[in-house]
Amino acid sequence: MERKIYLNGVFVEKKDAKISVFDHGLLYGDGVFEGIRSYSRKVFRLHKHMERLYAGAAAIKLNVNMSIDEFESKIIETLRINGLDDAYIRVVVTRGVGDLGLDPRKCSLPTIFIIADKIVLYPEEFYEKGLPIIIAKTRRISPQSISPAIKSLNYLNNILGKIEATAAGCNEALMLTIDGYVAECTGDNIFLIKKGKLITPPSEIGALNGITQQAVIDIALKRGMKFGYEMLKPNDIFDADECFLTGTAAEVIPVNKVDGKVIGSGVPGSVTKDIILAFRELTRVDGTAY
Ligand code: PMP
């Protein structure tokens, strides 16, 4: 079945889902987006995603001309129209159509679209064996240049990291801050397990506040595990007992090697496996039903 796309108030066929070449989302990457998943007709933490989208839009002074409630119901409608029980949903709000200058005031109406489809990010074998990653030479953009909390349409920094990963025969790359601290991967947050403690870098240094990251923290705290946001250097990863990545598309995926160095025992550890199972259970219950 041809997918139906929500575009500026109407549902159109995929082949008709087109936007103007004068859209500032395209001309300048001026806009924000979300990647959301639904599991068995439940949208996982939908409201958290929408809060992040609206906070990002506010941070770039982009007025989403629709209430969060209305937006959420459009997402649900998109899922229903496409008859999808399990889906990956892409929500995009751009500055809209303007002229060839940067000035966002020339764009009177934002462009809003919602795509509901399927996604497979990494081959299944990596979830069982662990994913090898590299450390990219491209450094994460400084939080003083653009807040890492804004999930903006400007992903070139991440794409450069991804290109390095694929050139090295890997699927994902870890990005460091300008000062050499561990920030996040190109499309995922990173976690370590050290002596039973769960550790992830703080968002302020250059990582997105991941919805999956928060879900994993919730799981760990509920289990009484020790947890902390900590500044990490690559050596902390090499010394870790376990390492895994989180993201809406990736879910929770173990890491077995970083720059060719084996992490922990080289196979997914018991804490990671436990968290993967708990996350799967959470996705069955924690969501907006449709
Ligand atoms: N970091 C970056 C740069 C991302 O693009 C994403 C989303 N793909 C994440 C982390 C993970 O965030 P979430 O769990 O909210 O999808």
Side-chain angles (χ1 to χ4, degrees):
M1 191 187 76
E2 185 80 339
R3 296 265 180 254
K4 292 253 193 322
I5 315 290
Y6 173 90
L7 176 59
N8 293 330
V10 288
F11 285 94
V12 294
E13 298 287 335
K14 183 175 172 178
K15 64 174 176 22
D16 301 320
K18 294 175 180 162
I19 63 162
S20 165
V21 293
F22 287 91
D23 195 296
H24 279 208
L26 177 63
L27 287 176
Y28 299 116
D30 187 356
V32 287
F33 77 104
E34 279 298 318
I36 311 172
R37 260 190 200 262
S38 76
Y39 298 89
S40 310
R41 301 188 79 86
K42 280 202 181 93
V43 190
F44 186 66
R45 297 199 168 176
L46 174 61
H47 196 62
K48 294 269 180 243
H49 280 283
M50 297 314 281
E51 281 177 346
R52 186 170 71 184
L53 181 80
Y54 275 68
I60 65 165
K61 310 269 183 292
L62 167 56
N63 177 32
V64 186
N65 58 344
M66 205 195 269
S67 70
I68 289 200
D69 274 3
E70 203 183 331
F71 211 136
E72 289 181 4
S73 55
K74 293 295 172 206
I75 292 171
I76 300 291
E77 208 179 327
T78 310
L79 287 162
R80 287 198 186 130
I81 282 183
N82 285 288
L84 287 160
D85 293 350
D86 297 275
Y88 178 78
I89 307 138
R90 176 57 56 90
V91 175
V92 180
V93 183
T94 83
R95 189 75 65 179
V97 174
D99 65 16
L100 290 178
L102 280 178
D103 192 349
R105 291 173 306 179
K106 303 278 175 61
C107 311
S108 49
L109 269 184
T111 298
I112 299 182
F113 57 91
I114 306 166
I115 306 167
D117 210 326
K118 298 274 183 187
I119 196 168
V120 178
L121 199 62
Y122 305 123
E124 187 55 38
E125 56 169 302
F126 293 124
Y127 288 84
E128 282 141 32
K129 291 191 203 146
L131 183 75
I133 64 171
I134 59 148
I135 300 178
K137 290 192 177 56
T138 308
R139 295 289 169 102
R140 195 84 185 88
I141 290 175
S142 160
Q144 282 150 300
S145 302
I146 179 164
S147 164
I150 303 170
K151 199 164 162 60
S152 89
L153 292 176
N154 272 278
Y155 256 55
L156 260 189
N157 183 229
N158 312 53
I159 289 166
L160 291 175
K162 188 82 171 182
I163 289 171
E164 287 189 51
T166 50
C170 286
N171 285 275
E172 185 52 294
L174 176 65
M175 301 189 77
L176 307 178
T177 67
I178 303 284
D179 305 327
Y181 288 98
V182 173
E184 61 179 344
C185 287
T186 68
D188 303 313
N189 290 107
I190 187 162
F191 279 94
L192 300 184
I193 312 278
K194 259 190 182 177
K195 297 193 178 78
K197 183 178 182 183
L198 184 72
I199 305 164
T200 193
S203 164
E204 305 81 73
I205 69 158
L208 185 72
N209 277 312
I211 307 283
T212 321
Q213 179 191 46
Q214 187 58 51
V216 163
I217 295 167
D218 293 346
I219 288 167
L221 293 178
K222 217 172 166 186
R223 288 169 180 236
M225 270 180 79
K226 279 186 272 168
F227 164 73
Y229 289 104
E230 286 179 21
M231 305 281 281
L232 302 166
K233 287 273 173 114
N235 268 341
D236 293 305
I237 303 186
F238 300 136
D239 291 347
D241 300 318
E242 300 181 32
C243 175
F244 62 87
L245 311 181
T246 63
T248 296
E251 301 174 302
V252 182
I253 184 159
V255 170
N256 64 353
K257 278 184 192 164
V258 178
D259 273 351
K261 296 190 183 72
V262 171
I263 307 301
S265 59
V267 292
S270 58
V271 181
T272 305
K273 284 206 246 174
D274 194 41
I275 286 174
I276 290 174
L277 286 181
F279 177 72
R280 279 197 193 131
E281 276 167 33
L282 191 65
T283 60
R284 304 272 171 274
V285 292
D286 192 346
T288 306
Y290 61 95

